[in-house]
Amino acid sequence: MNRLWEAALDLLFPPKCPFCRALLQKGEEGLCASCREHLPWLEGGGAETAVDFLSLCVSPLRYRDLVRESVHRYKFSGGTAYAAVYGRLVADCVEERLSGRFDLVTWPPLSRRRLRQRGYDQAKLLAQEAARCLGAEAVPLLEKVRHTRAQSGLGGDSGARRANVLGAYRPLSPEALTGKRVLLIDDVVTTGSTLSECARTLRTAGAADVVGCALAKAGK
């Protein structure tokens, strides 16, 4: 029944590539052939971002051009269906670079105010899809206790970004973190301030290690 339903949906709403929005052709899954070849994929050390309190932070894509446009639709225009493809890309990156380095999967949560405004938590959806692909479960380990300005509105000012999120998170269940290794998943890493503050909070609460993966990495 599920396959029949999916086939019916495909007829009514043909699947599109989340990056270029071209209709997917027969045999294409998730991404179109052109994007699979030409998106700004990151390799080697270029896929890594130095982030305080994270042992390693990796990303499969550069945050520019079609990737940037796609993520904007995902975050600000209700493109929640993109989470399935994004999650697979993040999971592939994690399997390649962070395999065996985590026990728990989580994400930097939105504040209640931002969640009401947006209607969904894009990092949570991404983490859930990535965890599903990894055969794991994304669990809420953090709560955002202070509403902050959107980090994207602060540009690349690392000092302002750090100050903006300092003390903004607290652990939900410190007892669940003791001795655990945590994988933090987010959509974009720019200066790393949000991931850093989340990782600091998790480590302070007892996490043995924290690694991170963001769908896209900003900057050069």
Side-chain angles (χ1 to χ4, degrees), residues 171-188:
L172 284 173
S173 303
E175 64 277 6
L177 281 168
T178 303
K180 298 295 185 180
R181 302 168 302 165
V182 180
L183 167 62
L184 264 173
I185 291 179
D186 205 358
D187 51 3
V188 179

Side-chain angles (χ1 to χ4, degrees), residues 148-189:
T148 60
R149 292 180 59 189
Q151 292 285 74
S152 58
L154 299 173
D157 187 334
S158 59
R161 282 174 172 256
R162 283 196 301 270
N164 190 45
V165 296
L166 184 63
Y169 301 92
R170 71 179 175 198
L172 284 173
S173 303
E175 64 277 6
L177 281 168
T178 303
K180 298 295 185 180
R181 302 168 302 165
V182 180
L183 167 62
L184 264 173
I185 291 179
D186 205 358
D187 51 3
V188 179
V189 57

